[in-house]
Amino acid sequence: MDSLLIEGGVPLRGEVDISGAKNAVLPIMAAALLTEETCVIRNVPNLSDVRFMGRILASLGAEVKIEEGTVQLRAARIHGRGDYELIRKMRGSVCILGPLLARLGVAEVSLPGGCVIGSRPIDLHLKGMEALGGVAEIKGGYVVVRVGELVGNQIFLGGRVGPTVLGTANVMMAAVLARGRTVIESAACEPEVVDLATFLSSMGAKISGAGSPTIEIDGVPALGGTTHDVIPDRIEAATFAIAAAATRGEIEIRGLRCEHIGAVLDKLKEAGVPFQRGEGSLRVNGADAFRPVDVTTQPFAGFPTDVQAQMMALMTLTDGISVITERIFESRFMHVSELARLGAEIAIEGGATAIIKGGRPLSGAPVMASDLRASAALVIAGLVADGRTDVKRIYHLDRGYERIDEKLGKLGGRVSRLRET
Ligand code: EPU
């Protein structure tokens, strides 16, 4: 498995372009199953998760062409049983459930895996499919959902910790071809849900309210092909902003939408990180000293769980006590023990709260990436730490950050990939 070798202590400087959003492109690729016609998706990041989703769609019979920045999909003749092993390996693949059910009346999907961040149930996805008339059962490790005809309904999708992003995507994708009107209440408001709604609308779907907690969908008999540009990756943008601040560098982040990272910018401001918002750009400067902050992760527009680990890395550099409360996922503190190897002082209380006693200098060490965003936090800490940090198992990073070693290298970071044969 590849590792990332980082020689810390160099401030990041220069300009970086943000790629298309991983978490937008995955459901959009799945949505192409809803039509026999060709869909072209542009501004697609070159990520292993995207290639993986391509393999899953191909295993269902779709023609998939992935080229530099573009995915072309044609699902003329497909079947409803996804490849067990492929689907099991990627959590995002659960979003083929809705489109398969809508298109074929049957979907067989192995129980999804993905990052090691809690149990990640799919009960809300199934609640939604059942509300539309689907009948679900678990058989041989597969979730099998069947329906004679999907019929629109009122569906409350709020769960234990609030809305579900991919659950909302799944129900939306099933409802676009259902008979009559579906109203999703407590829908996820994430920009990726809005991007999916934009894609579906350009295929001919009738959707209103995406981006708010109530989404209304009037089913149509069929959808057609389309061309779509994916939104920029807000989590990548936030990661670079934090990396610039942490290294006390000065970078310009281009091609992002600042309104998608409002909560992160608010916390950076509170922490004393100077930045200027531009039109589709953000300039971040590292301050000499930061202030500690308290962060609680929330559904959009709150502070994203996908930036929690990176923020923690920044807080380890800040004199004083910062508190981070993770409210979306259980067990999303895998980075804590690895940050400790670099010298960070962090205590976990009650499973969901991390207390960070910041300000101790970090020093490089071999660390293990455990999930995508935990890996990003280790990279940020490694960029600051004195000496060499060896981040092992970076396939997690390659799932979600396009060419991160190259992008950091262009900003002056001393980062190299060690390929293991
Ligand atoms: N949940 C349930 N039942 C369900 C579905 C979710 O209880 O049926 C719970 C989850 O266990 C969790 C909460 O609801 O506690 C929110 O989970 P959600 O369903 O919103 O997460 P997701 O849709 O599976 C997406 C992103 C994640 C991101 C979350 C939250 C993709 C492919 N994944 O996951 O991204 O953290 O939304 O914003 O879109 C990442 O990119 O690193 C990543 C993990």
Side-chain angles (χ1 to χ4, degrees), residues 22-24 26-27 49 90-95 115 117-127 157 159-169 188 190 192 233-235 298-300 304-306 326-330 332 371-374 399-401:
K22 166 182 86 82
N23 289 347
L26 297 177
D49 267 12
M90 189 177 75
R91 167 80 194 175
S93 59
V94 70
C95 57
C115 283
I117 47 175
S119 56
R120 311 204 60 180
I122 59 162
D123 55 315
L124 296 169
H125 299 241
L126 297 180
K127 177 184 174 187
L157 268 191
R160 221 169 19 91
V161 294
T164 158
V165 176
L166 290 176
T168 302
E190 269 67 6
E192 294 77 17
D233 196 312
R234 63 193 168 102
I235 308 300
Q298 287 171 338
F300 192 80
T305 173
D306 291 344
E326 172 56 57
R327 285 220 194 283
I328 306 297
F329 289 112
E330 55 194 64
R332 206 175 196 184
D371 78 55
L372 171 54
R373 309 303 172 187
R399 288 187 36 227
Y401 289 93

Side-chain angles (χ1 to χ4, degrees), residues 24 28 39-44 194-200 202 226-231:
I28 286 174
C39 293
V40 178
I41 310 165
R42 300 189 299 211
N43 196 30
V44 174
V194 178
D195 204 31
L196 174 63
T198 307
F199 179 75
L200 292 168
S202 73
T226 188
T227 298
H228 177 81
D229 292 306
V230 174
I231 55 167

